[in-house]
Amino acid sequence: MNRQRLSALLPATISASLLGLLMLLAGCAPMEAVRTQAQPVNAAALDAGKAIRAARADAEWPTEHWWEALHDSQLNRIVDSALEQQPTLKAAQARVRQAEALAGITRAATLPRVDASASADRERYSANSTVPPPLAGNYAWKASAAVTASYDLDLWGRNRQALSAALDEVQIASAEAQLARLTLASTIVRNYVQLSLQYALHDSAEQSLAQRQCLLDISRQRHKAGLASELDVRSMETTLAAGRRELEQIEESMALLRNQLAALSGKGPGDGDTIARPVLALQSGHDGALPAQLPAELLGHRPDIVAQRWRIEAASARIGVAQAAFYPNINLSAFAGLQSLGFSHLLDGHSAMAGVTPAISLPLFEGGRLRSQLQEQGALYDGAVEQYNASIVQALAEVANALVRINSVHEQQALASQAVNVAKRQQQLAEQAYRAGLSDAQTTISAQLTVLNEQQQQAVVASKQLENYTLLMTALGGGIKLELP
């Protein structure tokens, strides 16, 4: 074999030997198997409970604008405005764009990289160095232009797994943005329902205050006539002050709720001052019924569950990244360009330069760092799985709790109606006795206060019906449908 052929084969032989050695060392790398402990729970295997089993299964999944079933155009405008302008919702959407950008950065590592550079500098070369005359001892320009390319072979999938995790993070951010949207709409509706209740309580408090004023006037007249003591008058004055305090508390709650609704809409308190009295009406059949596919399809309708499921996928991909860190990392880089002393010969063929630089790196002694990183990712995976399991359990609990409340409110409504009817009958008897001269006006007015109190309780129960509808729609995902991995 002649010397030229020998010199050509030596680099290839050395490279092959080096690669073989690195592969052997990689096989000896102290990587331990990932021992994950958690397993995703099967939602269909969970006992849904008697509340869910007993519910009607003929309902459709909530629509995206489920609050429109309450038939209040002002509420629709408030929610629509909030979904467009609320800063926290926009922040959630910004996090989606950030996750997409980070995924784009991660994707770049899986692709070849090409760079171009050019430089020129003027330098005085030493007369006592290696540069020959006429450059020695004189100034001259040195110019260069080059294109470099590099590519990570990613033989063990580290970059691909990192990209997979980054794409999963995009899905997580998207699901969390949907969760923020659902939470915002639900919070607005619940505050709006409370505002409606406060209006009803305000009406009742005003009527009660008027009745108490009548009782006070009667007590004073009876006191002047010697038919009542001063203690009776003072007692009625106390109840009148308590009624005024109750009315003031209700007005405070109404003002605070208006401010809260304005803030949730992304507006100032002044916009809350323009909110008129709510007019809510929920048609029968909109509460207490469930979709037939529950609980199996609940997973894809709950953004919190979807986000947790994508976290499992991201954690799994990061385990792959940690495993790939034990193996050799092989990069290929090449360059080609021109270089010359002076500009006149820069474009000559003799100024060309080129080269190829393969690079192989393998961690040998890391003090247990890589092993600990792998164990950390395994623990994070287990944590993501358990959070997913907890989300499923919590979701079913929220559905069941909403149904329990709805069923209870149905009973409470019947009892509240019964109590109102009894109080009205008592009022009628008191009025008949008063007209017949068998009782005084104070007894009649007290009976009227009892009616007002029971009607107030009836309004509270009616408000619970609307709030429970909101809770059920939220528990069912609020019309959101996302794809599970």
Side-chain angles (χ1 to χ4, degrees):
M1 179 181 295
N2 58 37
R3 182 176 298 178
Q4 292 180 348
R5 293 184 60 189
L6 180 61
S7 61
L9 287 175
L10 278 176
T13 303
I14 294 174
S15 299
S17 301
L18 180 59
L19 180 60
L21 177 61
L22 289 174
M23 294 297 293
L24 178 62
L25 291 174
C28 299
M31 180 179 68
E32 297 180 354
V34 182
R35 297 183 178 90
T36 57
Q37 303 176 10
Q39 293 293 330
V41 69
N42 181 8
L46 295 175
D47 187 353
K50 61 181 182 180
I52 294 178
R53 289 194 299 268
R56 300 197 324 271
D58 56 355
E60 299 291 335
W61 287 99
T63 63
E64 185 178 359
H65 296 84
W66 52 269
W67 53 87
E68 293 180 355
L70 298 175
H71 301 285
D72 190 310
S73 58
Q74 180 177 239
L75 173 62
N76 298 340
R77 291 194 299 270
I78 293 175
V79 176
D80 292 341
S81 175
L83 295 180
E84 292 180 0
Q85 303 181 27
Q86 226 292 327
T88 57
L89 191 57
K90 290 184 177 180
Q93 296 167 350
R95 287 192 290 271
V96 176
R97 298 193 298 272
Q98 179 185 12
E100 291 173 342
L102 291 175
I105 295 173
T106 307
R107 181 181 288 107
T110 66
L111 302 174
R113 175 174 176 174
V114 179
D115 297 301
S117 62
S119 64
D121 63 89
R122 185 171 176 80
E123 180 180 349
R124 184 185 185 280
Y125 293 94
S126 171
N128 299 317
S129 184
T130 58
V131 178
L135 294 177
N138 295 310
Y139 283 92
W141 284 97
K142 181 173 67 175
S144 65
V147 175
T148 60
S150 61
Y151 181 60
D152 188 343
L153 295 182
D154 196 25
L155 297 179
W156 321 110
R158 181 183 59 183
N159 295 335
R160 294 190 297 273
Q161 292 287 353
L163 175 59
S164 178
L167 293 175
D168 292 339
E169 290 290 344
V170 175
Q171 297 291 343
I172 294 171
S174 298
E176 289 179 340
Q178 292 296 328
L179 177 60
R181 176 186 177 92
L182 174 59
T183 302
L184 176 61
S186 176
T187 303
I188 290 175
V189 174
R190 295 181 66 182
N191 278 272
Y192 196 80
V193 169
Q194 285 300 311
L195 180 60
S196 178
L197 172 61
Q198 294 304 316
Y199 267 102
L201 296 180
H202 189 273
D203 292 343
S204 178
E206 284 186 331
Q207 295 179 41
S208 175
L209 189 63
Q211 295 293 345
R212 294 182 187 190
Q213 182 64 55
C214 291
L215 284 174
L216 177 60
D217 294 341
I218 293 173
S219 296
R220 287 172 176 171
Q221 293 173 3
R222 290 170 59 86
H223 176 61
K224 289 181 180 180
L227 301 176
S229 65
E230 184 178 356
L231 179 60
D232 295 331
V233 176
R234 299 307 177 194
S235 297
M236 292 309 305
E237 289 177 346
T238 301
T239 62
L240 185 64
R244 289 171 178 167
R245 183 181 67 251
E246 180 183 3
L247 188 63
E248 177 60 31
Q249 290 173 345
I250 293 173
E251 291 176 350
E252 176 192 6
S253 297
M254 294 169 64
L256 293 176
L257 285 168
R258 288 195 185 95
N259 291 343
Q260 181 67 12
L261 287 169
L264 290 170
S265 301
K267 299 178 180 179
D271 288 272
D273 297 336
T274 64
I275 298 177
R277 180 170 186 163
V279 183
L280 298 168
L282 181 63
Q283 296 179 354
S284 60
H286 279 79
D287 57 345
L290 296 177
Q293 300 86 356
L294 197 79
E297 289 195 12
L298 180 63
L299 307 185
H301 286 83
R302 292 272 306 214
D304 54 338
I305 295 179
V306 174
Q308 295 298 346
R309 186 58 185 269
W310 281 110
R311 283 193 174 90
I312 295 177
E313 296 299 313
S316 178
R318 292 192 182 97
I319 288 178
V321 174
Q323 288 175 329
F326 285 86
Y327 297 104
N329 185 29
I330 303 177
N331 291 286
L332 295 178
S333 61
F335 68 92
L338 301 170
Q339 188 178 65
S340 70
L341 292 173
F343 293 105
S344 59
H345 299 289
L346 180 62
L347 300 180
D348 290 352
H350 296 290
S351 299
M353 59 177 181
V356 177
T357 309
I360 303 175
S361 62
L362 172 68
L364 296 179
F365 304 103
E366 292 282 344
R369 180 178 64 88
L370 296 180
R371 185 166 55 253
S372 296
Q373 287 178 348
L374 184 58
Q375 293 171 350
E376 177 193 16
Q377 295 305 321
L380 290 174
Y381 175 86
D382 288 339
V385 171
E386 297 302 348
Q387 288 178 354
Y388 169 76
N389 295 341
S391 297
I392 294 178
V393 172
Q394 181 64 25
L396 285 177
E398 289 176 2
V399 174
N401 291 342
L403 292 174
V404 169
R405 292 189 179 97
I406 288 172
N407 294 332
S408 177
V409 164
H410 287 162
E411 296 297 327
Q412 293 178 42
Q413 285 177 325
L415 294 174
S417 298
Q418 181 180 356
V420 170
N421 292 334
V422 171
K424 287 183 177 179
R425 179 56 181 166
Q426 180 183 357
Q427 178 185 357
Q428 292 174 357
L429 294 174
E431 291 175 349
Q432 291 175 1
Y434 177 72
R435 287 193 294 268
L438 301 177
S439 66
D440 55 15
Q442 190 170 7
T443 303
T444 303
I445 295 176
S446 297
Q448 293 174 349
L449 286 176
T450 301
V451 173
L452 289 174
N453 181 67
E454 294 301 331
Q455 289 176 338
Q456 188 178 63
Q457 296 302 316
Q458 191 176 36
V460 172
V461 173
S463 175
K464 287 183 178 179
Q465 180 192 22
L466 300 176
E467 184 173 356
N468 291 337
Y469 166 77
T470 303
L471 292 175
L472 181 59
M473 294 298 100
T474 304
L476 293 176
I480 296 173
K481 183 66 174 72
L482 300 171
E483 293 295 331
L484 287 168

